Amino acid sequence: MTDPSFASLTTLRVGGTPAAAYECLSAEQLAETVAKLDRDRDPLLIVGGGSNLLVADGDLALSAVLVRNEGISLVDDLRLRVQAGTEWDQVVASAVEHGLGGIEALSGIPGSAGATPVQNVGAYGSEISDVLTRVRLYNRETGADEWVSAESLDLAYRYSNLKFTSRAVVLEIELQLEATDLSIPLRHLGGERVPLAQARESVLGTRRAKGMVLDVADHDTWSAGSFFTNPVVPTAVADEIEAKVGEDRMPRFAAGDGQEKLSAAWLIERAGCPRGFPGEDAPARLSTKHTLALTNRGKARAADIADLARRVQDQVREAFGVELHPEPVWVGL
Ligand SMILES: Cc1cc2nc3c(=O)[nH]c(=O)nc-3n(C[C@H](O)[C@H](O)[C@H](O)COP(=O)(O)OP(=O)(O)OC[C@H]3O[C@@H](n4cnc5c(N)ncnc54)[C@H](O)[C@@H]3O)c2cc1C
């Protein structure tokens, strides 16, 4: 590999150099590499497409294990088995091309198939948990290479019990799709169902307008996607915020047990952090298309991204008393 630095391995394009980098081209090689590093007590970081990672600058005392096993196969007419290192959007494109529905709303999400269960990726009202049946894991605690059910991962909003724990490595995933001409109801089209290929194009178009499809030439996409999860707060707190801001329609959605989910992007803007914040000269800025994405304008370092994240968190806390939690995984910061 010519440049194993995290600046070249992640979509934020920041971060220092790992002690070593191992490219794993098969599921077995991936499991064996992790097993060996664990036996030797060498700290490691599993890296797929690097699109949900913020890694510290400088020389890092960890090895990067690169998930590069690729391939999509059919288990039966409706079930896909996908190697963890396969680019996720290729999986969606292939399913759509073959008239298999269920993941079209997840078009354009960067990164690897193996990372999709890690934070239960989702977009436009759809989540990988809707179609994920089982996952082949290398269990780092027991050393077992085993298929486990999707239910055993505790999948929830941008969460699974794999995220932040590093307890296991996803080697392959299995998806149950549907033979159909029409998409699932698409939230951004008011619940309408449209032909699969049209659904994919529509989602990609909407995502592009927000800088949510990777494009080397567009600094608004040098990001980790949405940087904060949408906060869940008691209804009374949501009422207070709505009254304080005094706008007619604050986005708020029932989240059970007297709780409501608010829009992090909306709160960030109302807390005085508009698009492009903090301004032209800053190396790290909010995207000019979407307040929820923190972006590298070309010369940012990991520390700049982390500083901006903390500044946004502080302003939202001061304005509304709400704590924003980062969605990407932070390493060494
Ligand atoms: C422009 C843009 C738009 C995005 N839009 C969305 C969106 O709409 N919805 C959404 O949910 N996310 C979105 N994301 C976030 C990101 O793309 C997803 O979280 C994606 O699944 C991360 O995949 P990755 O392979 O890049 O993971 P990485 O960034 O490489 O890794 C993320 C975490 O998962 C772990 N990991 C990776 N692979 C494995 C594996 N095989 N086994 C175990 N652990 C593993 C890593 O160690 C790390 O902790 C977006 C990101 C960007 C840059």
Side-chain angles (χ1 to χ4, degrees), residues 156-175:
Y157 166 65
R158 288 311 86 79
Y159 174 81
S160 81
N161 57 30
L162 301 171
K163 194 170 179 184
F164 304 125
T165 66
S166 309
R167 70 174 183 87
V169 184
V170 178
L171 305 175
E172 293 184 78
I173 63 171
E174 232 176 61
L175 309 176

Side-chain angles (χ1 to χ4, degrees), residues 11 46 48-52 110-112 115 119 121-122 170 207 212 223-225 329:
T11 56
I46 305 291
S51 60
N52 214 26
S112 61
Q119 71 155 3
V121 296
V170 178
R207 293 182 67 93
M212 285 290 165
S223 78
V329 174

Side-chain angles (χ1 to χ4, degrees), residues 19 129-130 180 233 238:
S129 57
D130 300 337
T180 173
V233 300

Side-chain angles (χ1 to χ4, degrees), residues 9-12 30 45-53 67 69 84-85 88 105-124 137 158 162-164 166 168-171 207 211-214 220-226 327 329 331:
L9 290 172
T10 63
T11 56
L12 269 167
L30 180 54
L45 176 65
I46 305 291
V47 183
S51 60
N52 214 26
L53 273 174
V67 182
N69 53 319
W88 169 251
L106 304 178
S107 291
I109 297 181
S112 61
T116 57
V118 173
Q119 71 155 3
N120 186 22
V121 296
Y124 303 104
L137 291 183
R158 288 311 86 79
L162 301 171
K163 194 170 179 184
F164 304 125
S166 309
V169 184
V170 178
L171 305 175
R207 293 182 67 93
M212 285 290 165
V213 176
L214 293 182
D220 277 330
T221 75
W222 292 29
S223 78
S226 302
E327 184 185 298
V329 174
V331 180

Side-chain angles (χ1 to χ4, degrees), residues 20-250:
Y22 300 95
E23 275 191 289
C24 301
L25 302 176
S26 69
E28 292 68 32
Q29 194 186 0
L30 180 54
E32 280 159 21
T33 304
V34 172
K36 174 158 188 342
L37 290 166
D38 282 347
R39 267 198 311 276
D40 296 346
R41 297 185 189 283
D42 272 348
L44 65 91
L45 176 65
I46 305 291
V47 183
S51 60
N52 214 26
L53 273 174
L54 173 58
V55 185
D57 304 303
D59 290 332
L60 299 155
L62 57 81
S63 294
V65 176
L66 311 181
V67 182
R68 299 292 181 257
N69 53 319
E70 292 180 29
I72 308 173
S73 56
L74 275 176
V75 181
D76 57 37
D77 288 353
L78 300 177
R79 232 171 346 138
L80 289 190
R81 189 172 289 175
V82 187
Q83 296 281 326
T86 313
E87 190 185 328
W88 169 251
D89 197 47
Q90 275 184 16
V91 183
V92 181
S94 167
V96 166
E97 197 183 316
H98 291 94
L100 293 174
I103 51 176
E104 55 280 358
L106 304 178
S107 291
I109 297 181
S112 61
T116 57
V118 173
Q119 71 155 3
N120 186 22
V121 296
Y124 303 104
S126 182
E127 290 183 329
I128 194 71
S129 57
D130 300 337
V131 293
L132 187 75
T133 51
R134 22 180 232 157
V135 173
R136 181 178 162 196
L137 291 183
Y138 170 70
N139 184 326
R140 295 176 65 188
E141 286 152 14
T142 64
D145 175 341
E146 59 196 354
W147 283 96
V148 303
S149 69
E151 290 76 45
S152 69
L153 301 178
D154 299 333
L155 298 164
Y157 166 65
R158 288 311 86 79
Y159 174 81
S160 81
N161 57 30
L162 301 171
K163 194 170 179 184
F164 304 125
T165 66
S166 309
R167 70 174 183 87
V169 184
V170 178
L171 305 175
E172 293 184 78
I173 63 171
E174 232 176 61
L175 309 176
Q176 177 76 42
L177 303 180
E178 194 193 343
T180 173
D181 297 329
L182 287 183
S183 69
I184 57 167
L186 295 172
R187 197 165 66 190
H188 71 294
L189 298 182
E192 202 185 330
R193 299 182 70 188
V194 299
L196 284 183
Q198 188 183 329
R200 175 166 165 77
E201 282 318 307
S202 160
V203 167
L204 286 174
T206 305
R207 293 182 67 93
R208 270 193 204 102
K210 294 183 182 167
M212 285 290 165
V213 176
L214 293 182
D215 175 356
V216 181
D218 180 1
H219 285 296
D220 277 330
T221 75
W222 292 29
S223 78
S226 302
F227 202 90
F228 299 104
T229 51
N230 289 321
V232 174
V233 300
T235 295
V237 173
D239 288 343
E240 266 171 41
I241 296 172
E242 189 161 28
K244 182 169 180 187
V245 174
E247 286 180 27
D248 268 355
R249 282 194 304 158
M250 174 175 85

